[in-house]
């Protein structure tokens, strides 16, 4: 049996069986060796992620995960692509999210076509559960992900809201305001797009109000615009509700 196959089988067994705490130190060094070797000399990213998962869940303390060891593991995960990147966030993200800079891994995954073809919900969860410090540290990646949504499609609206929330928490509402204003301008001024346009403009205005509050300069113009948009939104909802109340088969 080759060493690679033996290692793979060993890791697979450890994944699905409990391992006594008093014996975990025995596998710590071998797992680290596997991680370091496979991160440099192998294209098997999924196996590498499995090794890191075991290392984090069985062998590393909280302080190690949050320190230099965790930083190194995040750097290794950030180099992954495709299925390995998806695997790191979707199947192991709840373990990895305490690693320093793991948010950058989630932000890379959410832009990766492999992940987007399956699901980005775990990526969004990691973004929304990140600390302010992590969000500030990943501002460039958050802005980059938001810019990639231009021109904004209706199906990407909730993803855009995720980035808006992240920018708000990190104190970068002004950046979010500019990007959402660009989104508003990209939405066709047609009746069928009116609700979507109002909702997008509400997000832009909310971010504008937040940015003004952050610098202590809240304007009447922004609050008035917010109130006007709320009225437009309520009117649009009422009109849509009336339309739904028409009996089946009713023809105009």
């Amino acid at each position: 049996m080759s060493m690679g196959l033996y290692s793979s089988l060993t890791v697979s067994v450890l994944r699905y069986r409990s391992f006594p705490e008093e014996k975990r130190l025995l596998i710590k060094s071998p797992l680290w060796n596997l991680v370091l070797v496979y991160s440099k000399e192998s294209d098997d990213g999924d196996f590498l992620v499995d090794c890191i998962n075991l290392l984090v869940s069985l062998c590393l303390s909280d302080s190690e995960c949050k320190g230099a060891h965790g930083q190194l593991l995040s750097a290794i995960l950030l180099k992954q692509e495709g299925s390995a990147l998806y695997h790191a966030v979707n199947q192991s993200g709840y373990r990895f999210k305490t690693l320093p800079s793991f948010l950058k891994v989630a932000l890379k995954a959410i832009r990766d076509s492999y992940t987007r073809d399956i699901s980005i919900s775990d990526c969004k969860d990691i973004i929304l559960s990140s600390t302010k410090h992590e969000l500030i540290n990943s501002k460039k990646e958050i802005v980059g992900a938001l810019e990639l949504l231009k021109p904004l499609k209706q199906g990407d609206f909730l993803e855009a809201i995720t980035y808006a929330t992240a920018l708000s928490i990190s104190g970068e509402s002004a950046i979010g305001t500019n990007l959402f204003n660009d989104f508003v301008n990209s939405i066709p001024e047609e009746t069928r797009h009116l609700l979507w346009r109002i909702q997008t403009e509400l997000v832009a205005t909310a971010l504008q109000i937040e940015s003004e509050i952050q610098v202590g300069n809240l304007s009447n113009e922004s609050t008035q615009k917010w109130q006007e948009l709320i009225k437009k939104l309520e009117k649009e909802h009422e009109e849509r509700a009336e339309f739904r109340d028409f009996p089946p088969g009713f023809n105009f």
Side-chain angles (χ1 to χ4, degrees):
M1 182 182 293
S2 69
M3 182 59 68
L5 181 57
Y6 176 78
S7 299
S8 181
L9 288 173
T10 302
V11 169
S12 295
V13 169
L14 289 173
R15 279 181 65 194
Y16 297 107
R17 292 191 179 183
S18 60
F19 201 77
E21 286 195 29
E22 64 273 13
K23 299 282 182 69
R24 293 181 181 183
L25 279 177
L26 298 175
I27 61 171
K28 185 174 182 178
S29 181
L31 277 174
W32 261 118
N33 288 335
L34 281 174
V35 168
L36 295 175
V37 169
Y38 273 80
S39 67
K40 296 175 182 176
E41 302 176 5
S42 173
D43 294 327
D44 193 349
D46 287 294
F47 176 68
L48 174 60
V49 172
D50 283 341
C51 291
I52 295 175
N53 193 346
L54 280 174
L55 185 63
V56 170
S57 62
L58 295 180
C59 304
L60 297 186
S61 65
D62 286 344
S63 60
E64 286 176 318
C65 284
K66 294 175 181 177
H69 291 315
Q71 191 72 54
L72 173 59
L73 293 176
S74 279
I76 292 172
L77 291 169
L78 190 58
K79 294 178 181 178
Q80 304 312 304
E81 305 285 345
S83 64
L85 189 59
Y86 172 76
H87 182 182
V89 175
N90 179 261
Q91 297 182 30
S92 307
Y94 69 98
R95 287 198 178 101
F96 294 162
K97 65 182 180 180
T98 60
L99 303 179
S101 299
F102 182 69
L103 173 58
K104 293 181 183 292
V105 180
L107 285 163
K108 180 180 179 181
I110 203 170
R111 291 176 285 174
D112 186 89
S113 59
Y114 186 96
T115 299
R116 296 190 74 83
D117 286 344
I118 302 173
S119 172
I120 61 171
S121 74
D122 289 292
C123 297
K124 290 191 292 185
D125 288 344
I126 289 170
I127 294 169
L128 293 174
S129 63
S130 295
T131 64
K132 181 176 181 178
H133 171 76
E134 288 286 347
L135 293 169
I136 292 172
N137 190 42
S138 299
K139 181 182 76 172
K140 179 181 177 181
E141 290 81 1
I142 294 168
V143 172
L146 191 52
E147 287 180 331
L148 281 177
L149 296 182
K150 293 180 180 179
L152 185 65
K153 300 179 181 66
Q154 281 184 283
D156 294 332
F157 185 70
L158 290 179
E159 181 184 351
I161 292 291
T162 299
Y163 303 135
T165 303
L167 290 171
S168 171
I169 293 171
S170 61
E172 298 290 349
S173 298
I175 295 175
T177 301
N178 293 333
L179 288 169
F180 266 83
N181 280 329
D182 289 344
F183 289 153
V184 172
N185 293 331
S186 72
I187 299 173
E189 293 189 35
E190 301 172 5
T191 302
R192 62 195 178 103
H193 295 309
L194 181 58
L195 179 60
W196 176 28
R197 188 180 178 89
I198 293 170
Q199 291 170 331
T200 305
E201 197 165 2
L202 271 169
V203 177
T205 306
L207 289 166
Q208 176 65 33
I209 290 172
E210 280 194 352
S211 66
E212 290 176 356
I213 291 174
Q214 287 165 2
V215 297
N217 188 29
L218 179 60
S219 68
N220 290 330
E221 180 183 351
S222 293
T223 55
Q224 185 176 348
K225 184 176 181 181
W226 173 265
Q227 292 166 359
E228 290 172 354
L229 286 168
I230 290 295
K231 289 178 182 177
K232 285 183 181 180
L233 183 65
E234 291 172 347
K235 181 182 178 183
E236 182 65 12
H237 280 309
E238 288 172 2
E239 290 179 355
R240 286 172 178 253
E242 289 174 5
F243 179 77
R244 286 195 299 269
D245 288 338
F246 282 115
F250 186 91
N251 294 316
F252 290 94

